[in-house]
Amino acid sequence: MNRNVILTCAVTGAGDTTAKNPNVPVTPKAIAASCIEAARAGASIAHIHVRDPETGGISHSTDQFREVMERVREADADIVMNITAGGGGDWIPDATDPTRGGPGTDIQTPAERHAPVGELLPELCTLDCGSLNFGDMVYVNPAEWLREHARLVQAAGVKPELECFDLGHVWFARQLQQEGLIDGDPLYQLCLGIPWGAEADTETMLAMRNKLPVNANWAAFGIGRHQMPMVAQAVLLGGHARVGLEDNLFLEKGVLANNGQLVEKASTIIENLGARVMTPAETRAHLKLRDPVTGRIMGNSAGGDA
């Protein structure tokens, strides 16, 4: 098992969840406050999307990402920042003309997806490693788009978190590494429970873990009721963990959560297993991330055996 755990809090996501839980943050101010709440609850990393402040729907605004980043950095609570770069891949065929995208389609080029990352230079950003049936839509990530996107992330000097929603995504992420498009030890995020990708169970997590490169750091999460069981399972299998309102709205059955409560519950699970949650500073050193104050790449430390 892993006794030094990096705990990510994915604070909002882009899904249609704001009407289901009033604690899902929408405005940049509220998203930043959720990041700070997660930091004070003990999270190592905050993973952020931004939303349209008027509708709560998807936004790709660099200005909104900037406001979140600035508010978090000005607070007295340290946390590693991880910006999504996986937006702009939603495809829903038009009912009358399936060659065109219908309502709900949201497609961006790799350069457009990368724009906030390239300008703001967070410590981490996501790189989703394949296409899949994502519920009732198709999430579109052609291989050449991903190669282009990986080159942009690499040129910016930001470490990518390789999000894998199915076993083939792990295969392609390894291919990116073999082609020299991923620098250093890769960081994988195994995304479990999204219909119709990888299931949130032990067998699936183990199969994906066993296909990772030997030098990989990895984490995993499950959505909904699978969130906390997958925290425990990831730690027991040697990985790191993720919680947050992007993936799950409830603290327990019938009880709506906020991000701080989910971090605290996950931290308790981790500690009860005999492990500990790594600090943001330890996380930067372990993953060799850029320090947001000095700009220096942090060195490795004795904090982790993922």
Side-chain angles (χ1 to χ4, degrees):
M1 65 175 280
N2 179 18
R3 297 190 181 275
N4 298 284
V5 179
I6 297 169
L7 180 59
T8 293
C9 183
V11 300
T12 188
D16 184 18
T17 55
T18 56
K20 301 173 184 177
N21 184 333
N23 296 320
V24 175
V26 172
T27 66
K29 181 178 179 180
I31 293 168
S34 269
C35 294
I36 295 164
E37 174 185 77
R40 290 176 176 160
S44 317
I45 298 172
H47 171 61
I48 61 169
H49 294 244
V50 291
R51 294 176 178 264
D52 184 316
E54 299 299 323
T55 68
I58 297 170
S59 174
H60 307 297
S61 167
T62 297
D63 288 341
Q64 289 173 4
F65 278 113
R66 179 183 295 106
E67 182 179 347
V68 174
M69 294 277 289
E70 289 176 349
R71 286 180 178 274
V72 173
R73 293 300 183 218
E74 290 167 359
D76 60 350
D78 187 26
I79 195 162
V80 173
M81 296 300 290
N82 179 350
I83 284 183
T84 185
D90 302 346
W91 175 265
I92 301 172
D94 184 83
T96 59
D97 182 0
T99 67
R100 299 178 181 273
T105 294
D106 177 47
I107 298 293
Q108 287 188 302
T109 67
E112 289 170 333
R113 294 183 188 188
H114 178 71
V117 174
E119 185 167 336
L120 301 176
L121 299 179
E123 294 136 293
L124 289 166
C125 72
T126 57
L127 181 64
D128 296 359
C129 290
S131 303
L132 78 155
N133 288 333
F134 198 111
D136 292 333
M137 71 178 186
V138 178
Y139 182 58
V140 179
N141 264 321
E144 284 307 306
W145 285 21
L146 289 171
R147 288 186 172 95
E148 179 184 346
H149 199 168
R151 291 186 189 100
L152 291 168
V153 174
Q154 187 178 51
V158 175
K159 189 174 187 69
E161 180 187 63
L162 304 169
E163 289 201 329
C164 297
F165 296 80
D166 218 340
L167 197 56
H169 297 185
V170 176
W171 184 7
F172 187 76
R174 295 200 318 266
Q175 180 65 26
L176 290 177
Q177 186 180 1
Q178 290 167 12
E179 292 176 13
L181 298 176
I182 307 297
D183 293 332
D185 295 341
L187 173 63
Y188 284 75
Q189 181 71 257
L190 309 181
C191 311
L192 308 178
I194 294 95
W196 303 103
E199 294 182 83
D201 56 36
T202 300
E203 293 83 0
T204 303
M205 187 187 295
L206 185 61
M208 295 175 79
R209 186 208 69 173
N210 287 348
K211 291 293 185 178
L212 298 177
V214 294
N215 65 331
N217 291 288
W218 69 278
F221 70 85
I223 68 168
R225 63 186 176 86
H226 300 291
Q227 185 167 86
M228 296 303 165
M230 292 300 99
V231 168
Q233 188 61 86
V235 173
L236 290 170
L237 290 180
H240 304 287
R242 168 173 140 174
V243 295
L245 292 177
E246 176 174 352
D247 308 319
N248 166 47
L249 301 176
F250 292 91
L251 188 64
E252 56 188 68
K253 187 174 182 179
V255 180
L256 294 173
N258 62 42
N259 281 302
Q261 290 171 329
L262 293 172
V263 171
E264 289 171 356
K265 186 170 183 177
S267 297
T268 298
I269 291 170
I270 291 165
E271 290 165 4
N272 285 344
L273 290 172
R276 56 180 285 273
V277 177
M278 295 173 70
T279 68
E282 290 172 325
T283 299
R284 291 186 188 99
H286 184 66
L287 297 178
K288 298 184 175 67
L289 304 179
R290 179 191 291 115
D291 184 278
V293 176
T294 67
R296 182 170 60 90
I297 301 297
M298 304 300 290
N300 207 350
S301 74
D305 42 67

